[in-house]
Amino acid sequence: DHYSRLAQQLTKLPDKLRHLAWLAMESEAGEEYWVSMNMAGKFASACHYTIHRALAKRLGLKPLMQVENHHNFAWLEEWNGKPVYVHRKGATPAHAGVLGIIPGSQGHNSYIVRGLGNKLSLNSASHGAGRVMSRKQALQTIPKKERDAWLSERGIELMSGGMDESPQVYKDINQVLALQTDLIEPIATFAPKIVLMSSDGKSED
């Protein structure tokens, strides 16, 4: 929010286009944002690694590899011999041979995928199933009992999770994957049994 406001102050655009404001990467603010964004990305990755390591230790398992779903992020890459910034909003890297995760929802399958390196998509694929309603709409329209019953019928135990992440708010992950056969190759499927997500602070008992 801070950098978005700063960009809007520095980039004078018509009111209807203010959300398209940017920070020049050669500017002090742009460099500061780039460093901050990458620090946040490394922090998130470290948190995931710590959680997974602790869970594996508790279960007495040895992880074979670590696969990430790094998304809504920007990368400095080389295209046609030139350095460019690739912002994958709603997307995750899918370079040739690179493993990634495309999750469904609290109640739908998730997939480990291998990237095919499609340059027409900037070596990218969707970072998830995608929503059919906004978080606000989900909070206003889906009763908690309906969400809980939906998961219970499928044998899924919900330990914690906000109504804005109800499985009903997401598209069919299988249909989404079917539209990306030129971007990724699914190599493993995971069905949810236990869900532990951050609470939204509004919809828990």
Side-chain angles (χ1 to χ4, degrees), residues 12-25:
K12 303 303 180 182
L13 294 172
D15 286 344
K16 291 184 178 180
L17 301 177
R18 289 187 66 194
H19 64 287
L20 298 178
W22 67 89
L23 293 171
M25 295 306 294

Side-chain angles (χ1 to χ4, degrees), residues 86-154:
V86 180
H87 178 209
R88 293 183 171 92
K89 174 62 178 173
T92 191
H95 297 84
V98 171
L99 298 182
I101 305 171
I102 299 184
S105 74
Q106 294 179 355
H108 297 99
N109 290 345
S110 294
Y111 295 86
I112 300 295
V113 300
R114 182 185 290 115
L116 299 180
N118 190 322
K119 293 188 179 300
L120 293 177
S121 71
L122 300 181
N123 291 332
S124 309
S126 74
H127 79 66
R131 305 177 71 91
V132 294
M133 67 174 71
S134 68
R135 295 182 184 278
K136 183 178 180 181
Q137 187 180 0
L139 290 170
Q140 293 175 341
T141 60
I142 301 177
K144 184 174 183 296
K145 288 184 177 179
E146 181 179 311
R147 186 273 311 266
D148 293 348
W150 195 99
L151 293 170
S152 179
E153 289 171 2
R154 292 160 177 79

Side-chain angles (χ1 to χ4, degrees), residues 165-184:
E165 288 288 343
S166 299
Q168 298 97 316
V169 309
Y170 285 94
K171 300 174 184 175
D172 183 333
I173 183 65
N174 295 309
Q175 293 181 5
V176 172
L177 285 182
L179 296 172
Q180 300 183 80
T181 56
D182 57 338
L183 307 181
I184 47 89

